[in-house]
Amino acid sequence: MPSLIFNGVTYGISETRFEATRELLARFAEGHTTGVAMTLTHDGARHHLFITPGAPITLVE
């Protein structure tokens, strides 16, 4: 299962969300967006994240 690591926390994500996040990071790199809100789950809890350009994100396939 793909995952996203944000601020040291690993979130399991669907393939669809994984691809959308990859596109989001490309938009950041191109300067087309300033941030996005995402809701992900970790250990059964929902986390509301606001991701901005330069945020420490790792995508794990």
Side-chain angles (χ1 to χ4, degrees):
M1 173 180 227
S3 59
L4 176 147
I5 303 170
F6 178 69
N7 286 338
V9 178
T10 301
Y11 302 92
I13 59 175
S14 68
E15 189 66 38
T16 302
R17 183 161 285 191
F18 183 88
E19 292 303 324
T21 303
R22 186 184 306 221
E23 290 177 24
L24 169 70
L25 296 177
R27 287 178 173 263
F28 282 163
E30 296 164 358
H32 295 297
T33 190
T34 58
V36 67
M38 294 178 79
T39 300
L40 299 174
T41 57
H42 175 73
D43 288 340
R46 294 174 67 97
H47 296 253
H48 303 289
L49 312 174
F50 187 72
I51 300 173
T52 58
I57 298 173
T58 303
L59 295 176
V60 181
E61 293 189 68

